[in-house]
Structures are given as structure tokens and as C-alpha cells.
Amino acid sequence: MTTHDFIATERAVSATLLRICQRSPFFATLAWHAKIKVTDTLPTAATDGRDVFVNPEFFNKLTPPTQEGLLLHEVLHAALLHVPRRGARDAKLWNIAADIVINGMLIHDGYTLPEGGLRDPS
């Protein structure tokens, strides 16, 4: 990845945040308080409970609506305190359950998620 790729992704993240602001004041407030970092050290996106990390190659291939869903997905993990609340629970199972809850919230509000996002409408 070049410096140009990282800068382009930072701009795309900013544009995504602006679109979220136009659409949802609640989600926008959460997203603007998140520190979003562009990194090529992971394949897609993640959060450590404080910061949100996005891979530039993955993020830039998504459509703008899907970029919104991806960012909000990670922001909601942090906002809902999924990392510190996990405690001694099985990390993989906890993340699957948290993904299903978050993705259900986002789909309900009309957001688009990247292909393969976990869903359980029931």
C-alpha cells in the first residue's frame, strides 16, 4: 500500500461519515466520536473497543452504502461495549452473537452490509 492509498481511504472514510450524518444523527454522533484508523495489518475491519480499523484495499472496493454499514458495524461494537463486556465468554461465539445483533439493527435502519455479514432474522 502506498501513502496515496492511505490518504484516499482517509478521504473515503470522511465522506462516509458525512453521508451517515445526513442520514442518521444518532449513528453520526457515535461515528464522529470513534477514532478510525486506516491500516493494512488486517484483512477487512475491526475494533479493539476504542478505535476502529479499516483495511484500505477492502474498504475502497465497497460501494458507498456498504462503506457506511461497515463503519457503523465496527462503531456499534465499540459503542455497545462488546469488547469489555465479553469477559470470560468464548470470544468467537460472543463476536458471532454481537454481529447478529448489530447487523440486525443496521438492516432494520436500511443500511447495507458487506457480503457475508452474519444475519439471523429470528
Side-chain angles (χ1 to χ4, degrees):
M1 288 278 119
T2 67
T3 302
H4 180 271
D5 294 328
F6 280 84
I7 292 170
T9 305
E10 288 171 347
R11 287 184 180 152
V13 166
S14 292
T16 302
L17 291 171
L18 289 173
R19 288 191 309 275
I20 292 168
C21 282
Q22 292 173 338
R23 186 170 174 176
S24 170
F26 174 74
F27 286 139
T29 300
L30 296 176
W32 279 112
H33 285 91
K35 185 179 283 185
I36 300 170
K37 298 180 178 182
V38 178
T39 180
D40 59 2
T41 61
L42 59 128
T44 57
T47 184
D48 62 4
R50 281 176 305 176
D51 300 332
V52 171
F53 306 95
V54 294
N55 177 292
E57 189 174 337
F58 178 77
F59 190 79
N60 292 330
K61 288 180 182 176
L62 301 175
T63 64
T66 308
Q67 290 173 338
E68 295 168 22
L70 175 78
L71 279 186
L72 288 176
H73 174 93
E74 298 304 336
V75 165
L76 284 171
H77 272 299
L80 296 171
L81 304 174
H82 285 161
V83 174
R85 287 176 46 220
R86 182 182 76 216
R89 294 176 182 95
D90 178 88
K92 185 174 182 177
L93 186 59
W94 177 260
N95 192 58
I96 289 169
D99 280 354
I100 289 170
V101 169
I102 288 171
N103 291 344
M105 292 169 61
L106 293 172
I107 294 294
H108 180 265
D109 280 6
Y111 286 93
T112 303
L113 298 170
E115 192 172 312
L118 296 175
R119 272 297 270 134
D120 184 355
S122 63

